[in-house]
Amino acid sequence: MMMVGIGCRAETNADAVIALVREAVARWGMPDALAVPPFRKNHPGVRAAAKALSLPVRVVDFLALASAQPRCLTHSERTRRAVGFGSIAEGCALAALGPAARLLGPRLAAEGVTCAFARTTATAKESLTAYFKKTGRSR
């Protein structure tokens, strides 16, 4: 399974989001879904990109986003100060797929948008089992 994580500023326009996601798709292939943090789930650019590519949007919860931060390749101090996490796009892509996910490369960035691709070969059951084991949470 492959996921694209998206980060963007509140004022970023939809065309910028669509353009960067299409650039990433040309590089890494078509993902299975878009992953975003809760505070961007209704962003017009995210919705427009999902519609343009006919992809569902997965909202990543804050705990999963936080647990993915150590596996991210890039971090922005400005973003950390603004939203509490240093890597939104990479973190969302990883968090949406679970602890077995790996980034395909560092995030792409342009015009107030970032996107990153992650992939996992683990099954959904394996990913969930690993997540619950790592976090100590129960089903």
Side-chain angles (χ1 to χ4, degrees), residues 1 4 12 16-17 39 41 62-63 67 72 82 86 96 102 105 108 122-123 125 131 133 139:
M1 177 169 248
V4 59
T12 301
V17 177
F39 54 85
K41 69 181 179 182
F62 290 121
L63 179 61
S67 69
C72 295
R102 297 293 173 254
L108 302 180
T123 65
K125 182 178 179 181
Y131 170 78
K133 184 177 180 179
R139 294 182 191 208

Side-chain angles (χ1 to χ4, degrees), residues 14-94:
D15 290 337
V17 177
I18 292 169
L20 189 62
V21 172
R22 283 193 170 142
E23 179 183 333
V25 166
R27 181 179 293 189
W28 290 307
M30 185 62 75
D32 296 291
L34 306 174
V36 297
F39 54 85
R40 290 292 179 258
K41 69 181 179 182
N42 293 316
H43 189 281
V46 170
R47 292 292 170 195
K51 184 176 180 181
L53 298 170
S54 299
L55 294 173
V57 175
R58 290 202 182 160
V59 179
V60 173
D61 70 57
F62 290 121
L63 179 61
L65 183 56
S67 69
Q69 294 299 298
R71 296 185 290 141
C72 295
L73 299 175
T74 63
H75 299 274
S76 163
E77 190 56 37
R78 182 192 122 352
T79 301
R80 186 182 329 279
R81 286 191 308 269
V83 298
F85 299 100
S87 187
I88 299 299
E90 292 176 3
C92 284
L94 290 167

